[in-house]
Structure formats: structure tokens, C-alpha cells
Amino acid sequence: MAAWMTLRTQVTARSGASSLPASHSTSVCLAEMDRDPHNGPTIQFRNVSYALPTGQLILSGINFDVFPGETLVLLGRSGSGKTTTLKLINRLLSPTAGEVRVEGSAATQEDVVRLRRRIGYVIQEVGLFPHFTVERNVGLVPRIEGWPEEKIRRRTQELLQMVGLEPTLASRYPHQLSGGQRQRVGVARALAADPAILLMDEPFGALDPLTRNELQHQFLSLQQRFHKTVVFVTHDLNEALRLGSRIALMELGKLVTILSPEEFLHSSDPLAAAYVQAFRSGLDSAANRGTS
Amino acid sequence: MNWSHFIAQNYAQILELTIEHLWMVGISTLLAALIGIPLGILIAHVPILNKPVLTTANVIQTIPSLALFGFLLPVPGLGDRAERLAILALTLYALLPLIRNTYTGIRGVDSAVLEAGRGMGMTNGQLLFQVELPLALSVILSGVRVAVVISVGLATIAAAIGAGGLGELIFRGLAMVNNLLILAGAIPAAFLALLADFSLGWLERRLRPR
């Protein structure tokens, strides 16, 4: 029970510090957009649907905004459409209906390559290039953007330090690293060209609990320094409560609700309640076994 | 006539024919690579083309080599163009392993790696030259190895249309019922095949991604 209480206090503290209230009214948005187009939502989903070429509907009628500097967690079980939603943002997929806007402009009208270079992308399988050293993997986007070599080298060193890796690892190949180290390199690579937006698809899903905990901690401290706009996919409620400014709950291709972590814990929504129940039962049963 | 005597008398000709043999194999493999590797890349990215291209290459492969060279025999003015025709035939035979291995190698690249690259804003060209080809290189090289080994063997038959090469010694030996002459063609040819297999195999292992 003690662990549970600590977690709740943590969540309350975080959502208290969150710069944006969960119910961000549209009128405020518009007023801000008049002054500066980047003060509006960084990412907007408007009635977005996505169907496979076979006609199978994967996502339907998705609406949400992601505001600058917040971490929106997409929570849901496998097959609920979280990853598809993420890929619509950097246009690895295109919506079959509706519109996805990134920094005010519809993603479908922009040069895809330029859009993607402004968005950091971390995936669960990491996707490090096996034939590139850590240094070349991290420096990938700066290099294809044509930065001078010296600047890439300095940036790489800075990034490795930032994600808590020894500079001596720079010359290693991915297969010579541990899972946690690889994932850190993946994060460093996504941050390389200093994108304002970061998309993370279950980045810590394949790690052992302790390593995952370390990386979540690292993520929070990086987020405190850099205030990236993050969309984070996970199926782990603990991770969602810990990292998210807001949690978007997805089920069967639909967005069920968006709640702050604190609201999520007390939500009357049956699905949210079921998640919390499942989460609590683990802690409770352990606690009960201790007492009986 | 014993064999040491025979070699002493004929080594210049054996050497010349070996070089001719190597030339035919080298040029035809190079041509086949120039055609087959781009074709393999193409069918790896345009799935609709993959069946027709691989089937065509397969059909070519099934034509018996002696028959193909036989078909070429009645071509008028063959004498002058024999070598070029032989190179054409060898090129056709080398296409299948090159197309197929390029295709297999590129399709075998981890999709997570490709997705990460694309998601970070790499263009198709950058993905091809910085990711797909380097990662497929050892598989493509093993296709080159198969093509070279096949070609070394097939090129001996090119002598049937008067294109030269080590096959000339073999055919002459067969006609004259002279085992020494047959072996003088067959042994260097076998040695070339083994050498190519060994050296390209070594290169392939060196380049295999870890």
C-alpha cells in the first residue's frame, strides 16, 4: 500500500506542475494562434480515420490536440490503433479521412522528408543501423541534413552524455551494446537535430523493469530541460501515469477519453477504471499476501 | 609423351586460353551484375514485377547450355562474333543468381531499421545506398559467387562455337582421344572455379553485417 501512496503523490505533484489544464478551450487556442501560429496545438487530429487498402477500418473519428511541451501518452492494448495514430503524425501512414496538422499545417501538404526531419522518432525495436557505429547512428539526421563534420562530432558527444552513455561507446556497433544502452542510443538519435516534436512507440517496452525505470527517469529529466512536445505510445499504465501530462485512452480504433493522470485514477469511465483496477490488483494482492 | 613434357611444350597456350577463359567469365559476370543488381533492386521495391522477372530468369536458366550454344551455331558470320555471343550466353545464365540474391538480400533487411530510417526523414535514395545495399551486400556477393562458379564451368562449352577458352583444349582432347589434352583444359577450369568460390566466399564473410 505504501508504494501505491507514493505513486499517487508523485502523480499529483506532476499534474499540478503541468503547464496546461486538461480541458484546453478552443477559444483560448484561437486567440493564441492570432499572435503566433506556433502557440496553438503542435499536433491536431481532426476527424481522422485510417483504413487498410483492404477496407478494414483501423482508426475512426479520432480528434485530439497535443500542446507545446506536453507529453501525451496513447494508452491502449495491442491492436487498439496507438501505433497507427503515431505513424499518421510523421506520415509513415496517411489518413484515409480527416486531417492531421503538425505545427499548424496539414501534414499531407508538406514535403514529407522535411516534416520527418523535424520530428524525432523512437521505436520499440530501436531500429539502430547495425552497420553503423553508435556515433554514426546518432549523427544520422545531422549528416543527411549536411551539418559540418566537426559540429556533428560535438553534437554526438553532447547527446551521448545527455542520455547517460559513456563517450567511449561512440565507436561501438549496436550489437556490442546492452538493450538499455541501445535504447538510449535510439533516444539520442531521435534528439540529434533538436526536433521540437518527439514520437515514441513503446520505446522502453522490451527492457527489464529496472532498466525501464532508469530510462523513464532519464526521460523525465530530459523533458524538464527541453520541453519537447511528445507523443508516447505504451500499454503500461504505470508508465503512462509516470510520464504523461495527459493520457489518451484508445480501444478498437477509437479514442475513448483523454484524462490527466490524476483524473485517470478516479475516472468513472469503465475502461479507464478497468485499467486502474488491473493495476491496483497487482499491488493489493502482494500487500495482502504480506499481511495474511 | 609424359605430362611434364606436355606442360613444358604447351604451357604458353594453356596460359593464353586460361586468360581468354577468365576474360569471358569476367566480362559476362560484370554485364550480368550491371543488369541483374538493378533489376533485383527494382523487383524488391515493385512487388508486381517480381514474379515475371524471376520467372523469365528462371526459364533462361533451365535452357541446357549445350543447346543454347547449339542454337547460336548457325548464326551467319559466327566466326568473328563467337566470343561476343558466348559472352551474351554466359551473361544470360549469370542473371538469375544475381537478380534473386539482390532481391532476397534487400527484402531481408530488418523492417524496423527501414522504418526508423524512413521515420527520421531519409529519402528513398539514402535508404537504398546507406541502408539497404550495405546490409544486403553479403547476400548479393554470394549471388556473384554462384554466378562466377557457374560461368567458369559453362564457358568451357563456349568452345563449341569457337569462342576459345579452356574448353578448346577439352574439345580437342575429346576429338583426338587425348586424356592429357582434356585434363589440360579441365584442371585449370576446375582450379579457377575453386579459386573464385574461395576468394569470393572469404570476401562475403568479411562483409557480412553483424
Side-chain angles (χ1 to χ4, degrees):
Chain A
M1 203 57 201
W4 173 237
M5 293 300 289
T6 325
L7 182 76
R8 278 190 63 174
T9 352
Q10 231 180 34
V11 168
T12 319
R14 272 194 53 71
S15 57
S18 157
S19 57
L20 283 150
S23 54
H24 199 89
S25 82
T26 338
S27 58
V28 174
C29 259
L30 288 174
E32 280 172 356
M33 277 174 81
D34 283 342
R35 285 201 308 274
D36 179 348
H38 289 295
N39 267 358
T42 308
I43 300 163
Q44 295 170 285
F45 272 65
R46 291 286 169 269
N47 284 315
V48 172
S49 296
Y50 178 77
L52 293 178
T54 56
Q56 194 194 343
L57 203 59
I58 305 294
L59 287 178
S60 61
I62 304 286
N63 281 294
F64 67 83
D65 291 338
V66 189
F67 297 101
E70 80 165 331
T71 302
L72 181 78
V73 173
L74 301 176
L75 178 71
R77 39 180 131 201
S78 342
S80 60
K82 313 180 294 282
T83 297
T84 307
T85 307
L86 203 67
K87 288 180 182 174
L88 287 168
I89 300 172
N90 64 0
R91 265 198 78 188
L92 285 173
L93 299 173
S94 297
T96 41
E99 192 180 51
V100 179
R101 285 176 165 271
V102 177
E103 289 176 334
S105 52
T108 46
Q109 288 159 13
E110 263 193 68
D111 178 8
V112 189
V113 165
R114 249 183 42 221
L115 173 87
R116 287 176 186 157
R117 289 187 193 167
R118 298 207 317 263
I119 301 178
Y121 187 44
V122 189
I123 57 179
Q124 178 175 353
E125 302 89 350
V126 198
L128 292 182
F129 294 173
H131 58 307
F132 277 20
T133 58
V134 167
E135 186 166 23
R136 283 193 69 196
N137 265 295
V138 174
L140 184 80
V141 178
R143 194 161 278 119
I144 58 181
E145 286 279 88
W147 291 20
E149 282 301 315
E150 178 54 27
K151 192 179 165 195
I152 297 174
R153 210 188 50 77
R154 261 185 288 120
R155 179 68 180 153
T156 308
Q157 289 299 324
E158 181 189 11
L159 283 161
L160 290 181
Q161 198 195 10
M162 211 192 264
V163 298
L165 286 172
E166 292 288 318
T168 51
L169 293 179
S171 56
R172 299 258 184 101
Y173 283 90
H175 75 276
Q176 297 167 314
L177 305 177
S178 69
Q181 287 173 328
R182 273 203 286 269
Q183 203 49 266
R184 286 175 198 265
V185 175
V187 173
R189 182 173 68 171
L191 290 170
D194 201 21
I197 304 168
L198 208 51
L199 306 180
M200 306 180 87
D201 191 354
E202 303 204 29
F204 312 141
L207 302 175
D208 65 87
L210 290 178
T211 310
R212 188 188 310 153
N213 181 52
E214 278 168 32
L215 276 153
Q216 288 169 344
H217 188 77
Q218 185 99 50
F219 173 82
L220 285 174
S221 68
L222 284 176
Q223 221 4 28
Q224 258 172 12
R225 272 171 72 190
F226 300 108
H227 305 287
K228 304 281 182 201
T229 306
V230 183
V231 182
F232 193 108
V233 165
T234 184
H235 55 243
D236 176 2
L237 180 61
N238 178 23
E239 190 164 70
L241 291 171
R242 190 169 180 193
L243 305 182
S245 318
R246 291 185 301 151
I247 299 170
L249 187 59
M250 297 190 69
E251 177 80 353
L252 298 170
K254 291 206 164 64
L255 182 61
V256 180
T257 178
I258 300 191
L259 300 165
S260 72
E262 198 188 21
E263 288 167 337
F264 197 98
L265 289 175
H266 304 112
S267 172
S268 56
D269 181 275
L271 188 63
Y275 262 97
V276 175
Q277 182 55 43
F279 180 52
R280 272 188 180 146
S281 65
L283 294 169
D284 286 350
S285 75
N288 288 342
R289 254 183 284 172
T291 53
S292 62
Chain B
M1 189 157 63
N2 69 16
W3 62 269
S4 58
H5 195 88
F6 175 85
I7 290 175
Q9 251 183 5
N10 294 286
Y11 85 93
Q13 199 197 5
I14 294 172
L15 196 69
E16 195 193 313
L17 289 173
T18 305
I19 289 167
E20 200 172 33
H21 202 90
L22 269 178
W23 164 256
M24 283 194 290
V25 170
I27 292 293
S28 62
T29 307
L30 187 70
L31 286 174
L34 288 177
I35 302 164
I37 293 175
L39 260 181
I41 293 169
L42 182 74
I43 63 171
H45 292 101
V46 189
I48 202 168
L49 291 177
N50 119 41
K51 269 256 167 65
V53 169
L54 282 178
T55 309
T56 311
N58 255 318
V59 167
I60 293 173
Q61 200 77 13
T62 57
I63 303 173
S65 49
L66 204 52
L68 183 66
F69 285 112
F71 277 132
L72 296 174
L73 265 180
V75 174
L78 180 72
D80 306 330
R81 287 182 286 170
E83 198 183 56
R84 261 184 280 171
L85 281 171
I87 287 172
L88 174 71
L90 291 176
T91 304
L92 289 174
Y93 280 116
L95 275 180
L96 179 67
L98 284 164
I99 297 174
R100 195 181 42 203
N101 278 49
T102 307
Y103 170 77
T104 313
I106 287 183
R107 291 303 296 264
V109 173
D110 184 1
S111 61
V113 169
L114 286 179
E115 179 155 284
R118 190 168 292 125
M120 284 185 303
M122 292 181 90
T123 61
N124 287 335
Q126 285 165 339
L127 277 175
L128 179 66
F129 288 106
Q130 294 182 32
V131 184
E132 293 179 305
L133 284 179
L135 289 176
L137 193 60
S138 77
V139 182
I140 295 174
L141 254 175
S142 103
V144 173
R145 181 161 65 116
V146 172
V148 169
V149 173
I150 291 175
S151 294
V152 170
L154 281 180
T156 56
I157 299 172
I161 58 166
L166 289 165
E168 208 171 297
L169 293 173
I170 299 175
F171 277 104
R172 213 191 300 158
L174 284 170
M176 296 164 66
V177 202
N178 181 339
N179 283 344
L180 268 179
L181 216 48
I182 295 175
L183 288 176
I187 291 173
F191 180 72
L192 282 183
L194 287 173
L195 186 72
D197 192 41
F198 178 79
S199 56
L200 287 168
W202 175 81
L203 197 63
E204 186 190 319
R205 278 190 301 281
R206 284 286 310 270
L207 293 170
R208 186 169 298 155
R210 281 147 298 190

